[in-house]
Amino acid sequence: MSRSERAGLPGTVAAARDYRRVTVAYHLATRLTGQPEDDRAAGGTPGEDAHTE
């Protein structure tokens, strides 16, 4: 899910026009779904392309 909040802009913006004192807040929410990969569920080592911390 995502949404944005804009302040200082008209409802419809025009191309090639400068707008000043504009604020845009973008919100993004995600959720993991499904089952873990087989090797991870069994305590295996993640693949080379996996990022771990």
Side-chain angles (χ1 to χ4, degrees):
M1 175 175 79
S2 66
R3 66 183 171 95
S4 62
E5 299 171 10
R6 305 181 331 169
L9 289 171
T12 303
V13 296
R17 177 163 182 195
D18 292 334
Y19 296 94
R20 301 186 189 283
R21 295 184 205 83
V22 172
T23 302
V24 177
Y26 186 75
H27 305 271
L28 175 66
T30 62
R31 176 178 52 176
L32 297 175
T33 61
Q35 298 297 318
E37 297 174 11
D38 291 340
D39 61 338
R40 289 185 183 205
T45 304
E48 292 179 6
D49 59 339
H51 175 71
T52 58
E53 294 185 36

